[in-house]
Amino acid sequence: MSDAAGEIAPVDPWLLAKLVCPVTRTPLRWDGERSALLSDAAGLAYPVRDGVPVLLVREAVAI
C-alpha cells in the first residue's frame, strides 16, 4: 500500500488493511512523510518501528 506521494508502507499490505486505531476502531492510513500510521478520526499518528506498527496511545503523536 502506498501513500499519496507513492511511498510504500513498510508494513505488509495485508496487515495494514486489517489494522484499526485502538481509540476509535477506524482504519489507519500510511503517511510516508511522518513514517507513521494515521488515524484521521482520533487525530493521532502511530509510529512504525522496524516495520512493526506501535499501536499504543502513549506512543502516538497528535496530528
Side-chain angles (χ1 to χ4, degrees):
M1 182 173 279
S2 62
D3 64 2
E7 185 175 330
I8 297 174
V11 178
D12 182 288
W14 178 87
L15 177 61
L16 187 56
K18 298 190 177 348
L19 292 176
V20 295
C21 173
V23 175
T24 63
R25 301 287 186 224
T26 57
L28 298 169
R29 67 179 173 88
W30 172 248
D31 181 8
E33 264 185 41
R34 291 184 175 97
S35 295
L37 294 171
L38 301 184
S39 170
D40 294 317
L44 295 172
Y46 296 95
V48 175
R49 297 186 185 127
D50 298 323
V52 178
V54 181
L55 299 180
L56 300 172
V57 177
R58 68 175 182 256
E59 296 287 329
V61 176
I63 53 173

